[in-house]
Amino acid sequence: GIAPPGSRVLIPENATHNNDRVKEEVIIPAPPARGRLPPVGKGKGKGKMDVSHLVPITAFDPLSQKAFQGYDYLNPIQSKVFDAAYN
């Protein structure tokens, strides 16, 4: 949410702050990607995760896929609501 007036907010050191007479802009870069899920496996094999219940990012149109760059699948909650939210 938005901080109440008069409160102090800490922003990351790598954020940029631009202030002119018209507007104030703070750009906070996205955190580094956490990586990809382990490869699809059958059962619970070592180092493999069963992702058969997750929606692959390729289910999106090419433009929407750009929002999920670096990911192979939606997470379990996103996958559950995918049909209602996207279709």
Side-chain angles (χ1 to χ4, degrees), residues 2 5 10-12 14 23 30 37 46 62-63 65-66 75 81 85:
I2 298 176
L10 295 176
I11 60 173
N14 63 344
K23 67 181 181 317
L37 290 171
K46 186 177 180 179
L63 180 62
Q65 287 180 27
K66 291 181 180 186
N75 69 36
V81 301

Side-chain angles (χ1 to χ4, degrees), residues 35-49:
R36 297 173 180 235
L37 290 171
V40 176
K42 293 183 179 184
K44 304 224 181 230
K46 186 177 180 179
K48 295 193 176 191
M49 173 187 264

Side-chain angles (χ1 to χ4, degrees), residues 54-79:
L54 300 180
V55 174
I57 299 306
T58 56
F60 288 96
D61 62 86
L63 180 62
S64 298
Q65 287 180 27
K66 291 181 180 186
F68 295 94
Q69 240 175 350
Y71 293 91
D72 295 326
Y73 302 93
L74 295 178
N75 69 36
I77 294 173
Q78 293 167 328
S79 294

